[in-house]
Amino acid sequence: MAQGAFVAYYRVSTARQGASGLGLEAQKETVRRYLNGGDWSIRAEFVEVESGRKSDRPELERALSAARLHRIPLIVANVSRLTRSSAFLHRLLEAGVEVRFCDLPEIEGPTGRFLLQQMASVAELEAGMIASRTRAALQAAKARGTKLGGNRGVVMSDATREAGRATRTAKSKARAVDLGPILVELRGAGIESLGGIARALNERGIPTARGGLWSPMQVSRVVAKLAPKMA
């Protein structure tokens, strides 16, 4: 049985299906069966109404953003709803979100096996390459006489420190962008003060970048990053 909260993403191919619930209700039922009782909740639901051939999926981006904000998995009824092209799979891998496909364990036949093999191969290849590079780097360092393990007085170069700062800055900006629509919504509801926004974010269960509770100071930093977009 499932535990915790989830963000659900559904896709229907036509506006008629979206209006009538055809296809949509079936996907919701698939999600309910997958979760199979337990102590769970759907924090948010997003419905995409478009053709599977299109690459622009704004509701998928909103769903991924919500999953990142709440740090909870994205759940999809059918694997075909997201992975008709490798570009979507790469988008999911880069989104930093855990994705669960309700039908993945039950896929049968040549198509299912091919899909599972491809997804498994990508994960296996990535893990193997990382492990190989790590072993090679450790062996090279050992050959140079470097003592491995712990802080051995190694001093990072300016370029390395700068790269680290750039990575942290990029992650911080991406987090702020995810928060942008929420802040606009709160301001539209009349919540203007930093303290009020912090309380609202905490009440919604949206953690800070480090997983803690919001304070007015932390909100002010996010607002500063988004100042040009929120002006």
Side-chain angles (χ1 to χ4, degrees), residues 121-228:
S121 295
V122 169
E124 182 179 357
L125 176 61
E126 182 181 17
M129 291 177 66
I130 291 174
S132 296
R133 288 197 298 267
T134 300
R135 286 194 298 269
L138 290 175
Q139 290 173 356
K142 188 175 181 179
R144 293 194 301 270
T146 302
K147 294 182 179 181
L148 304 178
N151 183 358
R152 301 298 179 179
V154 177
V155 179
M156 291 188 296
S157 67
D158 292 340
T160 300
R161 284 193 292 270
E162 182 59 33
R165 283 194 294 268
T167 299
R168 290 191 296 271
T169 299
K171 288 183 178 180
S172 178
K173 288 183 178 179
R175 180 75 174 170
V177 170
D178 284 340
L179 283 164
I182 303 296
L183 298 186
V184 171
E185 178 185 336
L186 294 176
R187 286 186 169 181
I191 303 175
E192 295 283 349
S193 70
L194 297 177
I197 294 174
R199 286 191 297 273
L201 292 174
N202 291 331
E203 289 171 358
R204 293 189 179 201
I206 298 175
T208 63
R210 295 188 177 183
L213 296 176
W214 289 92
S215 69
M217 178 60 71
Q218 289 167 316
V219 173
S220 70
R221 291 169 182 165
V222 173
V223 171
K225 291 183 177 70
L226 293 173

Side-chain angles (χ1 to χ4, degrees), residues 16 33 44 56 69 78 92 95-96 153 160 173 176 198 211 218:
R16 178 180 297 178
R33 288 200 307 268
D56 183 20
L69 284 175
N78 308 108
L92 294 177
T160 300
K173 288 183 178 179
Q218 289 167 316

Side-chain angles (χ1 to χ4, degrees), residues 112-126:
R113 287 194 297 271
F114 176 76
L115 177 61
L116 290 173
Q117 288 169 357
Q118 293 303 305
M119 295 181 73
S121 295
V122 169
E124 182 179 357
L125 176 61
E126 182 181 17

